[in-house]
């Protein structure tokens, strides 16, 4: 995550610190970290919108935090046959889902398409943990073991902002994130109280 984005996510966490939203994104992040083995975290979007951005952030968090189980597998609806290997993983991967693996569904639509719901249901039946980030789809939420629904009309965070919060929290223990937020606020407070530093 770039410096500007990391700064924005930290500010967003500070703004949401007294709301239930931060706890919800932290809970979803903890569930992502429970994926057992590298390659077992699968991300899928809708046929119209694949979660490229979230996939890249989770890959970065996996690398920086030394958590190989967070390195995501992007499952694509219609990957071109000439794409690189890691971008050529199609829907067949979901039929191989098993216990200890996680399917993270990212659906920016009000209703997930029926083919997506069918594949999510299949993965759940074979033992995969299903997590979802959606825009209020009750059917998708009912299939997920844990889900966060972002209602654009009422949520204090955007769909994109929620993805950033989840990916950042997945790569860092929640306690560390909260401690750094508290330290940052305390440091700003002390700067205000003590005034500018005057060199000797």
């Amino acid at each position: 995550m770039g410096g500007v984005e990391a700064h924005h996510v930290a500010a967003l966490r500070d703004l949401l610190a007294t709301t239930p939203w931060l706890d919800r994104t932290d809970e979803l992040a903890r569930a992502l970290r429970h994926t057992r083995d590298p390659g077992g975290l699968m991300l899928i979007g809708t046929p119209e919108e694949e979660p490229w951005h979230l996939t890249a952030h989770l890959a970065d968090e996996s690398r920086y935090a030394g958590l190989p189980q967070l390195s995501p597998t992007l499952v694509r609806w219609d990957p071109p046959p000439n794409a690189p290997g890691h971008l050529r993983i199609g829907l067949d991967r979901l039929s191989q889902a098993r216990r200890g693996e996680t399917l993270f569904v990212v659906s920016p639509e009000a209703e997930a398409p029926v083919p997506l719901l069918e594949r999510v249901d299949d993965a759940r039946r074979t033992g995969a943990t299903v997590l979802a980030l959606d825009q209020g789809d009750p059917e998708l939420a009912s299939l997920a073991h844990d889900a966060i629904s972002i209602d654009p009309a009422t949520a204090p965070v955007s769909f994109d902002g929620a993805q950033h919060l989840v990916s950042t929290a997945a790569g860092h223990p929640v306690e560390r994130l909260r401690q750094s937020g508290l330290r940052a606020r305390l440091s700003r407070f002390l700067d205000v109280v003590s005034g500018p530093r005057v060199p000797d």
Side-chain angles (χ1 to χ4, degrees), residues 45-47 105-118 120 134-141 143:
T46 63
V105 185
V106 182
S107 176
E109 300 173 13
E111 294 182 359
V114 171
L116 174 58
L117 295 172
E118 291 172 346
V120 171
D134 62 59
Q135 297 242 49
D137 183 345
E139 287 195 58
L140 179 56
L143 289 172

Side-chain angles (χ1 to χ4, degrees), residues 13 173-185:
R13 287 187 64 87
V174 172
E175 296 76 17
R176 182 173 148 198
L177 281 168
R178 290 194 174 155
Q179 187 179 45
S180 66
L182 176 62
R183 283 185 181 160
R185 287 194 298 272

Side-chain angles (χ1 to χ4, degrees), residues 60-81:
D60 287 344
E61 293 294 344
S62 168
R63 196 166 47 252
Y64 299 148
L67 297 170
Q69 74 271 25
L70 270 184
S71 183
T73 298
L74 178 63
V75 178
R76 305 183 66 192
W77 286 87
D78 190 22

Side-chain angles (χ1 to χ4, degrees), residues 6-182:
H7 174 74
H8 288 163
V9 172
L12 186 56
R13 287 187 64 87
D14 280 347
L15 287 172
L16 297 174
T18 59
T19 74
W21 285 93
L22 203 55
D23 286 337
R24 288 296 297 122
T25 55
D26 289 346
E27 285 169 15
L28 200 66
R30 275 194 295 273
L32 288 173
R33 285 201 302 272
H34 286 159
T35 304
R36 194 175 297 159
D37 301 309
L41 173 57
M42 299 166 282
L43 262 68
I44 188 168
T46 63
E48 290 74 29
E49 193 158 341
E50 296 177 322
W52 292 95
H53 196 63
L54 182 56
T55 300
H57 281 306
L58 283 171
D60 287 344
E61 293 294 344
S62 168
R63 196 166 47 252
Y64 299 148
L67 297 170
Q69 74 271 25
L70 270 184
S71 183
T73 298
L74 178 63
V75 178
R76 305 183 66 192
W77 286 87
D78 190 22
N82 61 343
H86 68 290
L87 299 178
R88 205 169 49 226
I89 298 166
L91 298 174
D92 289 346
R93 174 64 179 91
L94 299 183
S95 65
Q96 303 161 13
R98 62 187 190 280
R99 191 169 304 281
E101 294 188 327
T102 303
L103 176 60
F104 189 12
V105 185
V106 182
S107 176
E109 300 173 13
E111 294 182 359
V114 171
L116 174 58
L117 295 172
E118 291 172 346
R119 284 166 173 80
V120 171
D121 187 47
D122 290 344
R124 181 178 170 129
R125 289 176 189 274
T126 59
T129 298
V130 176
L131 306 175
L133 183 62
D134 62 59
Q135 297 242 49
D137 183 345
E139 287 195 58
L140 179 56
S142 71
L143 289 172
H145 294 94
D146 194 5
I148 294 178
S149 293
I150 305 295
D151 181 344
T154 60
V157 62
S158 68
F159 193 75
D160 187 53
Q163 293 180 64
H164 283 288
L165 288 170
V166 170
S167 62
T168 299
H172 303 281
V174 172
E175 296 76 17
R176 182 173 148 198
L177 281 168
R178 290 194 174 155
Q179 187 179 45
S180 66
L182 176 62

